[in-house]
Amino acid sequence: MTFARISGVPHHIRVDGTGPVCILSAGLGMAWFDWDPVIPLLAPHRTIVRFDRPGLGLSGHARAWPTLSGEAERIARVLDAAGVGAETPVTVVGHSLAGFHCEAFARLFPERTAGLVLVDASVEETPRPRRAPELADACTRACGTLLSTAGVPRALGPFLRHTAVRAGRHTGGDPAPYDLVRRACSTSRFLHAVLAENGRYRDQAVELASLRGRSPLDAPVTVLAAYEGGSRHWLDRQGALAERLGGTFRVSEPAGHLVMLDRPRDVADAILET
């Protein structure tokens, strides 16, 4: 475990294992420990870099609104801080919202990309810009300040985290140790980060759509989708994403959105075989 200052913000970074490098980027509101079930399966074969975006996990308070290009650049700087130079291509792995970030990295830093794995990643086929983004940002900031002043993160942060994890799994609760959850989710920085990432979601989807038209994707791609049975609409969208990116499509079943918790072997296999 180490910390590196990137754009003035202390970033929590962890490196495990040995072998070719992969970097794991978690979804909205999640932390480095959410990948824990996958690590023992990868560590004998891969050097694994995990990190927390600003405000999440153990990283410092965000100083700027998130942007797609900024998140791609963040992945590059995290790799630098972990001692992985530009001459060493890596497999970038993004879950949920972080799928946007990792695809952008693969397009903007093709020389640093050995492969791209999207784990039940966000999909927006025809994203549209937000209306009145300045007003929306101001409302998001005010909401975060109001809730923080009222003590909501400390009072409800861990409970809301556990509730979200249970909802995102096929079966089971939150396997993360409570002390880590409390440290990661009981602060105003966490609340502000979650609200900011959610508020800027559409902006990043629009930015990615534009980037796809300007920067080719040359690395091998695997799209791993979660399926619990029932409607296949989400699978159809994930399959269309894989086809659009010229990638391999795999299904993890039964699994909720938090595939790394429900079926870590499927996630590890997708990484090792990309």
Side-chain angles (χ1 to χ4, degrees), residues 152-158 178 181-190:
V152 170
R154 182 173 296 277
L156 296 178
Y178 180 76
V181 172
R182 181 180 54 79
R183 291 179 66 189
C185 303
S186 298
T187 65
S188 62
R189 61 178 169 79
F190 169 77

Side-chain angles (χ1 to χ4, degrees), residues 148-233:
S148 296
T149 302
V152 170
R154 182 173 296 277
L156 296 178
F159 169 76
L160 294 175
R161 146 81 193 197
H162 292 318
T163 301
V165 169
R166 285 195 297 271
R169 298 194 63 183
H170 175 67
T171 61
D174 189 349
Y178 180 76
D179 63 325
L180 291 182
V181 172
R182 181 180 54 79
R183 291 179 66 189
C185 303
S186 298
T187 65
S188 62
R189 61 178 169 79
F190 169 77
L191 176 62
H192 280 283
V194 169
L195 292 175
E197 288 196 342
N198 184 68
R200 286 296 184 98
Y201 173 87
R202 286 175 61 183
D203 294 8
Q204 295 185 49
V206 168
E207 193 176 348
L208 180 58
S210 174
L211 183 62
R212 285 172 174 167
R214 296 183 280 109
S215 300
L217 180 61
D218 297 325
V221 179
T222 297
V223 173
L224 177 64
Y227 183 60
E228 296 185 88
S231 172
R232 296 184 60 88
H233 179 61

Side-chain angles (χ1 to χ4, degrees), residues 54-256:
L56 304 179
L58 300 181
S59 289
H61 201 292
R63 294 192 173 188
W65 292 97
T67 66
L68 187 72
S69 58
E71 296 306 325
E73 178 71 20
R74 189 184 317 283
I75 293 173
R77 300 290 77 82
V78 166
L79 289 170
D80 292 342
V84 182
E87 71 283 355
T88 304
V90 308
T91 299
V92 282
V93 184
H95 170 251
S96 194
L97 169 64
F100 287 171
H101 308 161
C102 290
E103 182 184 339
F105 175 89
R107 292 180 184 277
L108 294 173
F109 298 90
E111 73 286 352
R112 303 192 71 165
T113 305
L116 171 64
V117 178
L118 302 177
V119 180
D120 217 43
S122 297
V123 180
E124 295 294 336
E125 292 84 356
T126 55
R128 297 181 178 180
R130 293 181 298 162
R131 296 181 178 179
E134 294 84 2
L135 176 60
D137 286 347
C139 291
T140 297
R141 185 183 297 108
C143 180
T145 300
L146 178 63
L147 293 175
S148 296
T149 302
V152 170
R154 182 173 296 277
L156 296 178
F159 169 76
L160 294 175
R161 146 81 193 197
H162 292 318
T163 301
V165 169
R166 285 195 297 271
R169 298 194 63 183
H170 175 67
T171 61
D174 189 349
Y178 180 76
D179 63 325
L180 291 182
V181 172
R182 181 180 54 79
R183 291 179 66 189
C185 303
S186 298
T187 65
S188 62
R189 61 178 169 79
F190 169 77
L191 176 62
H192 280 283
V194 169
L195 292 175
E197 288 196 342
N198 184 68
R200 286 296 184 98
Y201 173 87
R202 286 175 61 183
D203 294 8
Q204 295 185 49
V206 168
E207 193 176 348
L208 180 58
S210 174
L211 183 62
R212 285 172 174 167
R214 296 183 280 109
S215 300
L217 180 61
D218 297 325
V221 179
T222 297
V223 173
L224 177 64
Y227 183 60
E228 296 185 88
S231 172
R232 296 184 60 88
H233 179 61
W234 179 245
L235 284 189
D236 292 340
R237 296 179 69 194
Q238 291 280 306
L241 174 64
E243 182 176 0
R244 179 173 188 173
L245 300 181
T248 300
F249 181 51
R250 305 172 68 140
V251 178
S252 185
E253 180 184 8

